[in-house]
Amino acid sequence: MALIRGFNSLIDPFFGSSSILDPFDGFSLFDRRPFIGFANLPRDRSSVANTRVDWVETPEAHVFKADLPGLKKEEVKIHVEDDQFLSISGERNKEQVDEKDSYRRVERSYGKFHRQFRLPENSKVQEIAAKMENGVLTVTVPKVEVAKEAQVRNVEITS
C-alpha cells in the first residue's frame, strides 16, 4: 500500500509513519526520538494511515481537524506531552454481526489510530480546546501573541 501512495508519503511528517520502506519508520521526523506509542500500534497500520488530519494555521490559533466518522467523543483521547507534542488517538471497534449473517464486503476501517504533531513554540498548550461535531474532531491550539517587530529607522550621519 505504501508503494501506491508514492514517495511523498514516505517523507511527509504530517502523514504519519506508514511505510515499510521508510528508514526512519518509528521515529519522529522532527527530532528523531522514538515515536511515542509506537509499540501500541496495530501491525496493520491502515487505520493509522486512513485517519486524515488537516492542520490550519490562522492568525489566532493552530486548528487540527480529523475525520472520525462513527466515533463518540468518549472513544477519542487527546494528550499533550512535554508541552510540545499533540497526540490524537482512539479505537474504532469492528461491528459484530449476527451468526446467521455474513459480510459480502468490508470496506470501513476499524482498529486503533494514533496521530502525533509537534506543536510550534508559539502554542498556548494550557488553553487547548477540542470539540466533536458530526464525526469531525476539531482541536484548537491558541497562539501566543507575538510582539510586533521593532520599527527600524535609518539615521543619516552628518559631518
Side-chain angles (χ1 to χ4, degrees):
M1 186 164 189
L3 296 175
I4 296 171
R5 283 192 295 271
F7 181 73
N8 288 337
S9 67
L10 294 176
I11 59 174
D12 184 358
F14 303 115
F15 190 80
S17 126
S18 61
S19 170
I20 59 172
L21 302 177
D22 185 357
F24 299 108
D25 190 24
F27 293 91
S28 169
L29 292 177
F30 293 107
D31 63 1
R32 301 289 189 246
R33 74 181 190 149
F35 184 71
I36 297 169
F38 180 70
N40 297 330
L41 291 177
R43 284 224 181 262
D44 174 17
R45 290 189 252 161
S46 64
S47 60
V48 175
N50 289 332
T51 304
R52 305 291 187 184
V53 179
D54 293 340
W55 178 353
V56 178
E57 183 174 358
T58 69
E60 300 82 27
H62 297 278
V63 181
F64 298 84
K65 290 189 176 189
D67 288 335
L68 302 173
L71 288 181
K72 299 174 189 144
K73 65 181 183 178
E74 296 82 15
E75 298 171 317
V76 178
K77 292 183 173 69
I78 302 169
H79 293 91
V80 178
E81 187 172 326
D82 298 330
D83 288 343
Q84 293 182 21
F85 297 95
L86 173 70
S87 295
I88 302 170
S89 61
E91 184 171 5
R92 180 177 291 119
N93 294 318
K94 185 175 182 179
E95 227 175 76
Q96 298 295 324
V97 293
D98 198 348
E99 287 183 17
K100 58 186 171 192
D101 297 334
S102 62
Y103 280 110
R104 297 286 296 225
R105 179 179 295 263
V106 177
E107 293 183 351
R108 297 184 308 157
S109 63
Y110 59 90
K112 294 180 181 181
F113 66 90
H114 183 260
R115 295 297 309 271
Q116 184 175 51
F117 304 91
R118 184 177 183 142
L119 295 172
E121 290 181 18
N122 66 347
S123 301
K124 290 183 182 178
V125 294
Q126 276 67 29
E127 298 179 23
I128 294 176
K131 69 176 182 176
M132 183 84 116
E133 190 173 318
N134 296 327
V136 178
L137 173 69
T138 302
V139 180
T140 304
V141 183
K143 292 166 58 175
V144 176
E145 289 185 32
V146 179
K148 291 185 178 181
E149 290 185 30
Q151 296 278 338
V152 177
R153 179 175 63 91
N154 291 330
V155 177
E156 191 174 320
I157 302 173
T158 60
S159 49

